[in-house]
């Protein structure tokens, strides 16, 4: 067996143990956990419910049906919550906590790869209810749209979700890295992460041209889910873009993630502790 | 040896409350950069909400008494009141109970509920000045804003909305006396509040059955009433009546909070020291 395979298996086992330990500690107070888990989904549920309850009274949403919006909203939410489960340790508030209290120094001392420890440092089991809810919204969307689903469409949706996980995970890594320099301005990242997620939850033609173009060409969020969903629904892409642009999330997401980790390595080299 | 029993004053100690409110007001100005980025985030989400609401209106001039301009003003108001009313959650009291700091506070010669209310008033006032007024000004510049026809009624409704919301938040935080991890209970409560107070959508847009259900709860008084009085959706006696309902719920929730606090204190155990 090659060394790297043994290493990979060893690391995966460590990661699973880190998650397991956190899951067990979160299950100690059973009632509190159940409420917390329900509350995690409630925030998304109420946001989507508020929209779904009023849409029938208005009749139309920029030419999109509730099912079509549900598909778009659902895959964005699904990808974001999966990303949060995997990349939660890199989120700026969590990581800056480690930097401030000095527990980040402890990470550096252990004979375990640093990213593995960060990945395994913030596993919130309660977020699984959000995954279930997001799958439900996607299911409602799939049932509600008039699409003869092909294998290609299904693969495109899966690629879109993976692309978004990489994209938002990359933004989390960038935000986390920034905390090596400053702990104050990381709030700015929230506009891109949480703001970006909300932005791509609705058809982007409802935004003004400058806002849509900014989040298409400057910050390529539109490529992640809006274009793939347009393609599946058989609608044209904006600005006369060719249809193959709908397949770019597979490129855009991983590229951003790779750049983010390059930045991370610079940050770790620059890191010099908080003096604990 | 005998010692005189300490006289614990629980009555109204106005200068003390004012001092607590002032300190808590000043604390909000400590992190200007965080406030700035908070404003940027708030305005960005505001822009997204304007887009969603206007897309719902489409070509329609009005819906349930709201014009498109009303809808824009609505998003401005909700974004402006967001931090003053702590709509994303408030865990301050919970934290002092879990950490046992509550024991020190209980030794102080003043009404516990009253002092917390004074502190929250200071916090809310500062947040309203810092973030609320700035957001309203930015909205007025960018999208235009409708100003209230009867500012006095709006001011009363605004104060009651804060007090009613505070009573609810305080009551929810009291769960910490019973549960060692009450954060989930809090998150659950804030989720319900966000939908039911009209923060996510104007309540008038919801189906009739849902509006009837919400009318039986105190939540509309925590935000929606302010909006409807500001926009003139409710005028004259209708507005006065809505404000009276707000006042009644505020009194009821404060009484409930006080009762729950008294029962919680009886079972309070402070570990360590």
């Amino acid at each position: 067996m090659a060394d790297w395979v043994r290493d990979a298996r060893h690391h995966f086992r460590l990661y699973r143990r880190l998650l397991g330990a956190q899951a067990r500690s979160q299950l100690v107070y059973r009632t509190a956990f159940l409420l917390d888990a329900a509350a995690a989904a409630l925030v998304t549920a109420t946001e989507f419910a508020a929209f779904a309850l009023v849409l029938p009274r208005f009749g139309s949403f920029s030419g999109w049906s509730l099912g079509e919006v549900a598909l778009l909203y659902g895959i964005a939410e699904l990808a974001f919550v999966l990303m949060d489960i995997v990349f939660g340790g890199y989120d700026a508030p969590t990581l800056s906590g480690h930097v401030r209290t000095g527990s980040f120094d402890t990470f550096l001392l252990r004979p375990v790869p640093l990213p593995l420890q960060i990945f395994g440092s913030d596993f919130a089991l309660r977020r699984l209810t959000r995954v279930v809810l997001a799958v439900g919204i996607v299911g409602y969307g799939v049932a509600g749209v008039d699409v003869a689903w092909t294998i290609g469409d299904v693969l495109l949706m899966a690629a879109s979700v993976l692309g978004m996980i990489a994209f938002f995970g990359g933004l989390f890594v960038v935000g986390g890295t920034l905390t090596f320099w400053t702990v104050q301005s990381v709030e700015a990242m929230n506009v891109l992460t949480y703001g970006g997620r909300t932005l791509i939850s609705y058809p982007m033609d409802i935004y003004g041209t400058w806002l849509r173009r900014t989040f298409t060409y400057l910050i390529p969020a539109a490529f992640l889910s809006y274009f793939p969903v347009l393609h599946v629904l058989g609608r044209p892409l904006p600005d006369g873009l060719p249809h193959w642009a709908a397949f770019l999330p597979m490129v855009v997401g991983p590229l951003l993630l790779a750049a983010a980790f390059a930045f991370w390595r610079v940050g770790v080299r620059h890191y010099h502790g908080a003096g604990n | 040896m005998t010692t005189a029993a300490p006289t614990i004053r629980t009555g109204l100690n106005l200068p003390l409350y004012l001092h607590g409110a002032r300190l808590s007001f000043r604390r909000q100005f400590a992190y200007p950069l965080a406030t700035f980025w908070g404003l940027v985030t708030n305005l960005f989400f505001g822009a997204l909400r304007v887009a969603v609401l206007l897309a719902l209106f489409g070509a329609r001039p009005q819906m349930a008494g709201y014009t498109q301009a009303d809808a824009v003003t609505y998003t401005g108001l909700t974004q402006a009141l967001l931090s003053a009313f702590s709509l994303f959650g408030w865990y301050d009291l919970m934290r002092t109970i879990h950490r046992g700091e509550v024991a020190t506070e209980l030794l102080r010669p003043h009404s516990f509920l009253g002092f917390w209310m004074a502190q929250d008033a200071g916090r809310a006032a500062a947040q309203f000045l810092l973030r609320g007024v700035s957001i309203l000004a930015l909205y007025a510049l960018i999208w235009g804003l409708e100003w209230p026809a009867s500012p006095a009624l709006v001011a009363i409704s605004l104060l009651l909305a804060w007090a009613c919301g505070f009573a609810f938040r305080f009551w929810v935080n009291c769960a910490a006396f019973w549960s060692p991890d009450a954060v989930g209970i809090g998150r659950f409560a804030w989720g319900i509040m966000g939908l039911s107070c009209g923060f996510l959508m104007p309540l008038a847009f919801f189906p009739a059955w849902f509006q009837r259900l919400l009318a039986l709860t105190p939540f509309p008084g925590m935000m929606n009433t302010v909006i409807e009085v500001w926009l003139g959706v409710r005028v004259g006696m209708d507005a006065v009546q809505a404000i009276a309902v707000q006042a009644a719920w505020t009194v009821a929730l404060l009484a409930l909070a006080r009762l729950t606090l008294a029962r919680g204190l009886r079972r309070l155990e402070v570990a360590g020291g």
Side-chain angles (χ1 to χ4, degrees):
Chain A
M1 192 162 41
D3 274 357
W4 71 267
V5 176
R6 210 167 33 236
D7 272 4
R9 282 175 57 175
H10 174 63
H11 290 156
F12 188 67
R13 213 164 33 237
L14 270 175
Y15 179 66
R16 271 210 330 245
R17 285 179 68 175
L18 281 169
L19 299 195
Q22 288 177 64
R24 276 194 302 281
S25 80
Q26 286 162 25
L27 287 172
V28 171
Y29 299 115
R30 204 52 66 97
T31 322
F33 172 77
L34 289 177
L35 263 167
D36 219 2
L42 188 74
V43 176
T44 312
T46 52
E47 191 188 86
F48 189 70
F51 182 79
L53 279 171
V54 308
L55 182 56
R57 277 192 79 183
F58 283 93
S60 146
F61 185 69
S62 191
W64 288 59
S65 70
L66 184 55
E68 290 170 327
V69 179
L71 183 62
L72 191 58
Y73 187 99
I75 64 163
E77 169 65 9
L78 179 64
F80 199 86
V81 66
L82 287 174
M83 184 284 294
D84 217 357
I85 287 172
V86 180
F87 286 87
Y90 284 96
D91 194 13
T94 317
L95 199 70
S96 78
H98 289 305
V99 170
R100 250 182 299 119
T101 59
S103 49
F104 189 77
D105 299 22
T106 324
F107 288 157
L108 291 170
L109 287 173
R110 292 189 191 133
V112 175
L114 181 63
L116 181 76
Q117 297 182 64
I118 313 277
F119 272 122
S121 70
D122 182 49
F123 175 63
L125 198 61
R126 64 187 161 83
R127 295 200 180 108
L128 291 179
T129 54
R130 272 179 66 191
V131 177
V132 174
L133 182 76
V135 169
I137 296 176
V138 172
Y140 177 81
V142 168
V145 296
D146 190 20
V147 170
W149 289 88
T150 64
I151 298 285
D153 291 338
V154 175
L155 287 178
L156 181 58
M157 288 292 97
S160 165
V161 170
L162 288 176
M164 276 189 281
I165 292 175
F167 183 85
F168 287 114
L171 290 183
F172 264 31
V173 173
V174 170
T177 308
L178 286 175
T179 64
F180 293 141
W181 282 277
T182 166
V183 285
Q184 267 208 51
S185 59
V186 288
E187 254 197 85
M189 285 305 293
N190 288 349
V191 177
L192 294 180
T193 51
Y194 299 97
R197 183 228 146 222
T198 307
L199 180 107
I200 62 169
S201 299
Y202 299 97
M204 289 181 70
D205 56 343
I206 67 167
Y207 307 120
T209 312
W210 66 269
L211 191 61
R212 183 179 61 74
R213 291 219 167 122
T214 306
F215 280 87
T216 304
Y217 303 109
L218 197 64
I219 301 153
F223 289 93
L224 298 169
S225 63
Y226 181 49
F227 289 180
V229 168
L230 282 178
H231 181 80
V232 167
L233 295 178
R235 291 166 181 253
L237 302 192
D239 300 338
L241 285 169
H243 258 283
W244 55 259
F247 294 87
L248 286 176
M250 290 169 258
V251 183
V252 171
L255 269 183
L256 183 93
L257 186 60
F261 269 114
F263 180 50
W264 165 260
R265 275 189 290 276
V266 175
V268 173
R269 231 174 297 139
H270 167 274
Y271 173 77
H272 40 61
N276 297 281
Chain B
M1 197 176 82
T2 55
T3 49
T7 45
I8 293 178
R9 285 170 47 198
T10 50
L12 208 62
N13 188 341
L14 211 54
L16 184 74
Y17 293 150
L18 280 176
H19 189 64
R22 200 161 45 233
L23 280 180
S24 155
F25 180 87
R26 290 210 326 235
R27 200 176 307 137
Q28 305 303 315
F29 291 84
Y31 300 103
L33 198 60
T35 303
F36 170 77
W37 282 114
L39 268 181
V40 172
T41 313
N42 193 328
L43 196 65
F44 182 74
F45 275 92
L48 300 188
R49 297 184 63 203
V50 166
V52 169
L53 272 177
L54 290 185
L56 275 170
F57 270 83
R60 190 188 294 266
Q62 67 116 16
M63 167 59 117
Y66 282 65
T67 62
Q68 297 202 12
D70 289 341
V72 172
T73 302
Y74 156 81
T75 60
L77 272 173
T78 47
Q79 292 294 105
L81 295 175
L82 174 60
S83 49
F85 288 0
S86 295
L87 287 174
F88 283 162
W90 184 78
Y91 303 93
D92 292 8
L93 172 62
M94 212 177 260
R95 212 172 298 132
T96 64
I97 298 169
H98 284 150
R99 289 185 187 164
E101 293 159 6
V102 69
T104 330
E105 279 196 46
L106 286 168
L107 293 173
R108 295 187 186 134
H110 54 65
S111 148
F112 188 79
L113 176 61
F115 194 68
W116 273 93
M117 196 164 175
Q119 282 186 312
D120 196 65
R123 185 204 55 79
Q127 288 296 324
F128 182 69
L129 283 181
L130 267 175
R131 301 192 184 211
V133 172
S134 324
I135 282 293
L136 289 179
L138 286 168
Y139 256 77
L141 278 173
I142 301 171
W143 293 288
L145 203 65
E146 296 178 337
W147 301 102
S150 43
L153 281 184
V154 169
I156 298 169
S157 181
L158 199 63
L159 276 175
L160 284 170
W162 159 74
C164 193
F166 167 78
F168 177 69
R169 282 184 280 128
F170 189 93
W171 180 66
V172 169
N173 271 252
C174 283
F177 286 115
W178 282 267
S179 167
D181 185 11
V183 174
I185 297 170
R187 284 210 190 95
F188 201 81
W190 319 139
I192 300 284
M193 180 171 74
L195 177 72
S196 313
C197 77
F199 171 62
L200 294 172
M201 275 289 168
L203 298 187
F205 291 179
F206 285 134
W209 64 267
F210 195 58
Q211 286 188 54
R212 273 199 298 276
L213 186 72
L214 291 181
L216 303 173
T217 72
F219 298 115
M222 296 176 195
M223 175 161 262
N224 197 58
T225 309
V226 182
I227 294 158
E228 295 194 336
V229 174
W230 179 299
L231 293 177
V233 174
R234 283 172 190 268
V235 283
M237 272 320 285
D238 195 21
V240 173
Q241 200 182 8
I243 290 171
V245 172
Q246 268 187 300
W249 271 117
T250 305
V251 172
L253 282 178
L254 279 173
L256 180 67
R258 214 186 135 143
L259 188 76
T260 312
L261 173 69
R263 299 192 60 172
L265 288 179
R266 239 178 286 143
R267 50 164 293 141
L268 174 71
E269 289 171 23
V270 177

